Amino acid sequence: MRSPHTIGLVLLGLVLLPIGAYVAYEVRSLSDNEALMASIYERQLEAILFSINQHAWTVTDGWAHEIDGVLAAAPGASPEAFGRFLDTHAALRALVLTDSQITRLHVVQRPGETGLPALRDPLTPAAVQRLLERRRAGYRKVEPVRLPRADGPDEQILLLFAPETPSAGIHAVGLVLDARRFVRDVLAPKLQEVAREQFVLGIFEPGTAAPLYSTEPLARSELRRERSIWLFPAYVLGVRPRGATIEEVVQERFRQNLLLVVLMGLVLLAGVGIVYRSIRHELTLAQMKSDFVSNVSHELRTPLSLIRMYAETLELDRVRSDEKRRAYYRIISREAERLTRLVNNILTFSRIEAGRETYARAPLHLNEVVQDVLTLYDVPLRTQGFRTEVRLADDLPALEGDREALMEAVINLIDNAVKYSDAEPFLGVATSRHGREVVLDVADRGAGIPAEALDRIFDKFYRVSTGLVHTTKGTGLGLALVHHIVQAHGGRIEVESRLGQGTRFRLRFPVPATAGAVLPS
Ligand code: ADP
């Protein structure tokens, strides 16, 4: 049979290896997953900023379309028609209409609008030619031109495009945009729509830390990602996640998952621990059982061979003196007693194990039980040179108990005291009353029990495997029976022992509530 140690190591290896591999794999794939998640998130932020820029283009493209419509409805449209167009688009400061050579430049201005930037400089015939070529090629290009800011604080952009139907000398149209108004009227609603509950979006003017507009309070330093606005490259469009930052979310998730994986590992380890313990317990029990069988065989064989030997000697009538004959009879009877006790113990034990042991309780006096047992042991104690000290209290209340069972308990204790004493053969038996308890002490000055074995001696089959006890035969059942009997009587058993100095067992029985009469001792 393999030792529990080897089995434990094999088990640990079998479980630790896969656990270790699993935890390592989980940790790796967790961090991979988290990195993937973070990169997806980053791309999402990028896409958000892109969609807002895209929106700005789409809106201005729409305006170019509208102007196409105005021109198509009335070629060489009147300033009033453009004035109405301007009225409906607050982000526009003015409209510029020009021919291909920029010889005639017509500016339609929003009423009340002052301080327009110089428009002629950025408009070059070459620029208009480029737009017209594109238009001929079948698509419209809107070309932004940054205007000088000399006349005002706001960013000015001129969006140039060639109309669909160049008419009445209008070959290019320019839209003068006011950045602040554009942000407020066009971009702000889009930012709100995109931000929802998940993001904070903001637009920052060049060189400012506070936003020109943001969906929630936002500082430039908090931005997770920022991009220039295509239309107004000096303006910054930025976003940050709402609440925790993505790193915090990812780290928190990573921590939680790691904790779960580690917890799982610990649970598995605890499982291994439990399995190992129960295997070790089963193995020790199996070992103790096999020791028990060999011990019982020995215990049976010794008295039987003694009985046989003395009986045969007597039968052959070889013993001359009466005294010797009486001594032989005593030995035969003592060994028969020993056999009876052994068989009784085994039978009681098997009844207890099968749950069939019952106790017939009746009022009894503990002193009487003790005296009966001492009478049984009188001769053996004397022949083995034991000094016996008996102190029985005379004020003991009656107990409710099973006489036979209690005798068996006391016999086992005295038997052990005799078995495990060599240097100083001494037996002390005392009864006393402690409050609502009747107490029985059985003490010896024998081998004693090692401290580490004290809480195991009441286990079935357990025997101390060192010293004198090792050489003394026994079944390991005696104290298990005593323990069971005492517990069945509602009592407790205590043991005090010093190695090489002796042992004292103390049985405590509760006095029944109705007990009054003091029986004679
Ligand atoms: P056993 O048949 O071995 O005596 P027990 O159940 O009666 O079995 O006792 C269990 C073990 O406790 C013994 O093997 C012995 O090691 C120890 N033991 C019990 N009583 C004494 C004692 N009075 N002195 C020393 N050791 C004792």
Side-chain angles (χ1 to χ4, degrees):
M1 200 186 325
R2 282 178 193 278
S3 77
H5 225 69
T6 327
I7 293 183
L9 282 178
V10 171
L11 252 180
L12 210 65
L14 275 179
V15 172
L16 268 191
L17 275 179
I19 289 184
Y22 176 70
V23 169
Y25 171 77
E26 275 296 305
V27 168
R28 246 199 73 147
S29 67
L30 270 180
S31 56
D32 284 355
N33 289 346
E34 307 307 349
L36 184 70
M37 216 178 90
S39 102
I40 290 174
Y41 200 81
E42 289 296 325
R43 266 183 272 159
Q44 189 187 358
L45 294 183
E46 190 66 51
I48 284 173
L49 298 184
F50 186 89
S51 76
I52 290 165
N53 260 327
Q54 191 75 47
H55 175 72
W57 270 122
T58 312
V59 168
T60 51
D61 200 49
W63 291 346
H65 247 303
E66 281 183 51
I67 289 174
D68 275 342
V70 173
L71 286 173
S78 63
E80 291 77 44
F82 288 116
R84 276 199 300 282
F85 172 77
L86 278 179
D87 277 348
T88 52
H89 300 93
L92 290 177
R93 301 187 71 189
L95 251 166
V96 185
L97 309 163
T98 181
D99 58 59
S100 60
Q101 293 308 310
I102 330 240
T103 44
R104 278 182 295 136
L105 188 70
H106 184 65
V107 178
V108 184
Q109 206 166 322
R110 175 191 297 285
E113 199 70 57
T114 53
L116 269 187
L119 293 168
R120 194 173 283 277
D121 291 349
L123 288 178
T124 58
V128 176
Q129 278 312 318
R130 273 203 307 276
L131 292 172
L132 285 171
E133 269 166 33
R134 294 255 167 73
R135 170 55 82 195
R136 276 196 290 277
Y139 62 95
R140 176 178 49 221
K141 172 142 181 1
V142 177
E143 194 163 294
V145 180
R146 193 159 173 211
L147 299 177
R149 299 182 58 179
D151 58 325
D154 300 348
E155 181 95 348
Q156 313 288 335
I157 296 283
L158 179 64
L159 288 179
L160 261 186
F161 66 95
E164 207 159 47
T165 43
S167 58
I170 300 175
H171 295 115
V173 179
L175 302 172
V176 181
L177 285 179
D178 177 317
R180 283 191 168 177
R181 290 187 214 157
F182 189 82
V183 167
R184 192 185 62 219
D185 293 352
V186 177
L187 294 183
K190 181 68 180 172
L191 258 55
Q192 284 290 355
E193 178 198 322
V194 172
R196 280 197 235 113
E197 297 289 289
Q198 299 169 14
F199 307 100
V200 181
L201 283 156
I203 292 173
F204 295 80
E205 280 186 303
T208 55
L212 170 63
Y213 174 81
S214 66
T215 53
E216 270 175 55
L218 174 72
R220 179 116 188 225
S221 55
E222 296 168 3
L223 291 182
R224 170 76 217 179
R225 211 162 186 82
E226 53 180 69
R227 286 283 173 267
S228 292
I229 299 181
W230 297 339
L231 274 182
F232 310 98
Y235 281 60
V236 166
L237 168 65
V239 62
R240 76 158 164 81
R242 205 157 174 269
T245 68
I246 184 68
E247 273 86 6
E248 283 164 357
V249 174
V250 166
Q251 269 172 16
E252 183 54 32
R253 263 184 54 106
F254 184 78
R255 258 201 302 276
Q256 281 175 0
N257 290 344
L258 195 66
L259 196 77
L260 270 179
V261 170
V262 170
L263 268 181
M264 255 174 54
L266 287 181
V267 168
L268 278 175
L269 270 185
V272 171
I274 291 171
V275 171
Y276 171 67
R277 272 184 62 129
S278 64
I279 288 184
R280 198 181 59 177
H281 181 250
E282 287 303 319
L283 285 179
T284 346
L285 202 65
Q287 181 62 48
M288 288 198 299
K289 276 184 185 164
S290 93
D291 289 351
F292 167 75
V293 173
S294 78
N295 289 340
V296 167
S297 322
H298 179 90
E299 290 274 279
L300 288 173
R301 209 175 316 120
T302 317
L304 279 177
S305 51
L306 280 176
I307 290 171
R308 215 172 115 194
M309 188 178 87
Y310 285 106
E312 278 172 8
T313 317
L314 287 169
E315 196 182 21
L316 294 176
D317 221 6
R318 288 209 193 120
V319 191
R320 296 285 162 238
S321 85
D322 274 356
E323 200 182 327
K324 243 186 176 173
R325 209 173 297 135
R326 270 200 301 278
Y328 285 10
Y329 284 132
R330 263 203 310 277
I331 292 173
I332 290 175
S333 131
R334 192 189 69 207
E335 292 305 312
E337 278 287 336
R338 217 169 116 188
L339 270 181
T340 314
R341 276 202 304 280
L342 177 69
V343 173
N344 277 351
N345 266 358
I346 294 173
L347 287 179
T348 312
F349 173 73
S350 78
R351 277 199 305 274
I352 289 175
E353 283 289 281
R356 282 189 288 108
E357 179 67 337
T358 51
Y359 296 100
R361 305 250 202 128
L364 57 83
H365 200 289
L366 190 61
N367 284 353
E368 285 176 359
V369 174
V370 173
Q371 267 164 345
D372 285 353
V373 177
L374 285 174
T375 314
L376 280 180
Y377 272 85
D378 189 33
V379 180
L381 283 172
R382 263 192 289 122
T383 47
Q384 289 182 59
F386 264 80
R387 189 164 72 77
T388 312
E389 198 176 282
V390 181
R391 267 193 255 140
L392 303 179
D394 51 13
D395 62 342
L396 290 189
L399 291 180
E400 279 284 319
D402 182 317
R403 187 179 200 86
E404 292 301 318
L406 288 177
M407 274 186 75
E408 203 172 342
V410 181
I411 285 176
N412 271 300
L413 290 181
I414 294 182
D415 213 33
N416 279 352
V418 173
K419 254 195 322 193
Y420 302 115
S421 293
D422 52 351
E424 189 182 345
F426 168 84
L427 173 72
V429 180
T431 57
S432 55
R433 178 180 186 167
H434 289 193
R436 300 291 304 164
E437 283 177 334
V438 169
V439 176
L440 166 68
D441 286 324
V442 178
D444 63 59
R445 294 184 186 155
I449 302 168
E452 64 276 10
L454 279 179
D455 50 353
R456 298 197 57 197
I457 51 174
F458 300 105
D459 292 350
K460 58 186 176 189
F461 306 128
Y462 181 79
R463 308 200 68 228
V464 176
S465 49
T466 49
L468 161 76
V469 179
H470 185 53
T471 50
T472 313
K473 282 292 168 186
T475 56
L477 290 185
L479 287 181
L481 294 184
V482 178
H483 188 240
H484 188 271
I485 292 167
V486 173
Q487 272 200 331
H489 282 79
R492 287 176 293 146
I493 181 164
E494 294 162 5
V495 56
E496 263 176 40
S497 186
R498 286 241 186 115
L499 213 52
Q501 292 186 22
T503 307
R504 190 188 67 188
F505 285 94
R506 171 165 282 188
L507 312 188
R508 294 172 176 275
F509 296 99
V511 177
T514 50
V518 174
L519 298 180
S521 54

